[in-house]
Amino acid sequence: MIFEQIATGGCQSYLVGCADTCAAALIDPEQSQVDRYLALAARESLRIRYLVDTHTHADHFSGTRELARRLEVPVVMHRASPAPFVDMRLDDGEMLAFGKLRLRVMYTPGHTRDSMCLVAEDRVFTGDTLLIGGTGRTDLPTGDPAALHASLFERLLKLDPALEVYPAHDYKGQGHTTIGRELAGNPRLQKSGRAEFVEMMRNLNLSMPTHLTEALRTNMSGGKTVAQLLAEAAATVPFMSLEELKARVESGESDLIVLDVRERDAYEDAHIPGARLLPRGQLELRVNQDLPDPTPRILAYCEFGRISTLAAATLREMGYQRAVALDGGMKAWREAGFPTKTGREA
Ligand SMILES: [Fe+2]
């Protein structure tokens, strides 16, 4: 077995490959690491055949959807997953077979209704059902402490104590554990009575994950995150530095159109000298009138440098092939002490 554990902050992803056939599965990939997984698979001479999410993640953005688009391989989840884009839905006791490897599904609801563990040879990928020194929480959507108790004590913890445990989260860099070690030392597993366990889980008072709403929206629908939209736009657009723009503004360069895509009040408060106002929200509707010539170089800027990236990408899509975005925004420009103007331009 070829095996790679990839940590993104506390999130753990796993690339599992068959050494004989080079077929592999990628478990719980994270959106921001898509290029890393592809590079890793290439380095190990592996062909990813399946993209597996152990459950609907509420705390980070799944990379399965984008990888599926790029690799044209199926997204795999448990049958209970609410995501419409899942290509292959697995049920308890079923297996994914790739090369000589087998990933066997053990349905373990509790952290979420669609949580599953995957057993492969000497190890088990536990998702958030069992963590190192902890368990997944049960207070997020579809969580159920009684179900988690049953999944743990009636199923997962009855597996061979020597089985290595690879969880979806590990915040302390411990890597992995074993069933036996967790049975002996995991504080959450010391109360094996169902009522006590449920009571303990109900009183953890954990804070909400940072991106809960966006993670659930995108992981359940297959839609894009804001970071993804920005990254896609940024990939199509060249940037200009604050210093470069300042030098060009000061030299009075006449063939550069500087476009402020913020709202009017922000523009009139302070803008880059010579900049024209064309708010992002009106861009498509006003370009014919405001930018009749598609050939000059256009630089878009906004307050932080994000909306201007989207604006420059839109302009390029519409045929303004020399549109660029400022690397940074008006905030950084002001903080650098660069010149500004107030009110309307003559
Ligand atoms: Fe989770």
Side-chain angles (χ1 to χ4, degrees), residues 55-60 111-112 128 168-169:
H55 62 287
T56 300
H57 300 286
D59 55 355
H60 65 269
H111 170 61
T112 62
D128 285 354
H169 290 286

Side-chain angles (χ1 to χ4, degrees), residues 303-317:
E303 188 63 18
F304 300 107
R306 294 195 284 262
I307 298 297
S308 55
T309 304
L310 297 174
T314 300
L315 285 170
R316 284 194 162 244
E317 250 182 288

Side-chain angles (χ1 to χ4, degrees), residues 283-294:
L283 187 65
E284 290 87 340
L285 299 180
R286 277 181 44 188
V287 288
N288 290 339
Q289 174 193 331
D290 289 17
L291 301 166
D293 180 0

